[in-house]
Amino acid sequence: MIERISTVGMSHEDWLAHRQHSIGGSDAAALLGMNPWVTPYSLWAEKTGQLPPKEDNEAMRQGRDLEAYVAARWEEATGKKARRLNAILKNSQYPWAHANIDRDVVGEKAGLECKTTSIMQLKKFKDGEYPEQYYVQCVHYMAVTGATRWYLAVLVLNQGFYHFVIERDQAEIDALMEAEQDFWRRVEQKEPPPVDGR
């Protein structure tokens, strides 16, 4: 069963508190060691309250501010429609996980993840590829929402716009959810993951 916790009128502090108590899409790649900015250990320390939540930075601000533009570009490129979903989603099958999705795709059991990145990441989009941490985030969202596919739209600032379709793969979902469950057990038991030297 999927629960919706409305974020309409929710303060930023309350929103951060909800994120603190479960694993979100942006956490998924970090706990697997696939996030170049957040290690499994630092994520564990944040979730156990030993580190404060990450402070907002310019890249995060631009990503939020340009989300509507990226969604509009995706709609233009695909002819599909997407809408905001002002809620934190929880799935009783995965009680340790939550999803704050960027957009819900109209008429499909699907969602849209909107990304903005710098020219330094441009080489990661050659030959139809994209960063692995984006894939993991979309798999997490498919797990929590039960969606059959997830769309990914990426704006590389001043260089290009790319969009991708990620189909549901239950084996990938199962593997990710198993890793997330193990990580959350470590959070609950205050048992740190191995320090990976980053």
Side-chain angles (χ1 to χ4, degrees):
M1 186 179 89
I2 296 174
E3 174 190 5
R4 292 184 180 207
I5 303 165
S6 175
T7 56
V8 176
M10 183 182 287
S11 71
H12 187 66
E13 291 73 24
D14 286 346
W15 180 77
L16 286 174
H18 274 287
R19 288 175 50 89
Q20 177 77 16
H21 299 297
S22 56
I23 295 168
S26 57
D27 300 325
L31 69 88
L32 294 176
M34 294 179 176
N35 185 321
W37 301 283
V38 182
T39 67
Y41 184 86
S42 64
L43 179 66
W44 173 87
E46 182 184 323
K47 295 295 184 182
T48 55
Q50 298 175 59
L51 280 178
K54 291 185 295 293
E55 284 191 26
D56 216 15
N57 60 41
E58 189 61 27
M60 293 163 70
R61 168 72 189 268
Q62 288 184 21
R64 282 195 311 275
D65 290 352
L66 290 170
E67 183 183 302
Y69 173 78
V70 174
R73 284 289 302 270
W74 177 82
E75 289 181 330
E76 179 186 305
T78 63
K80 297 177 183 293
K81 294 293 178 194
R83 62 183 169 222
R84 287 183 188 274
L85 186 66
N86 297 311
I88 296 169
L89 304 176
K90 301 275 290 179
N91 187 325
S92 57
Q93 188 176 354
Y94 309 116
W96 62 85
H98 73 268
N100 270 116
I101 69 172
D102 288 340
R103 295 290 189 278
D104 190 36
V105 177
V106 176
E108 294 185 44
K109 200 170 180 184
L112 170 65
E113 176 62 20
C114 301
K115 293 291 189 188
T116 300
T117 192
S118 78
I119 188 173
M120 302 299 289
Q121 302 295 317
L122 185 60
K123 65 183 179 182
K124 294 186 177 177
F125 296 91
K126 64 180 182 182
D127 303 321
E129 296 178 359
Y130 50 86
E132 61 187 357
Q133 66 263 29
Y134 294 178
Y135 174 78
V136 173
Q137 186 170 0
C138 293
V139 171
H140 175 93
Y141 289 152
M142 282 187 276
V144 174
T145 65
T148 55
R149 71 176 54 87
W150 215 261
Y151 297 96
L152 171 63
V154 185
L155 175 67
V156 181
L157 291 169
N158 298 321
Q159 292 298 316
F161 176 77
Y162 303 88
H163 59 97
F164 310 91
V165 182
I166 301 168
E167 298 292 345
R168 185 182 181 91
D169 181 327
Q170 192 60 45
E172 293 276 278
I173 287 172
D174 292 345
L176 177 59
M177 292 299 102
E178 184 177 338
E180 289 189 11
Q181 186 176 30
D182 179 66
F183 182 85
W184 198 250
R185 177 191 59 78
R186 288 177 177 274
V187 170
E188 291 179 328
Q189 296 179 5
K190 303 289 193 289
E191 176 191 325
V195 177
D196 60 8
R198 282 194 291 167

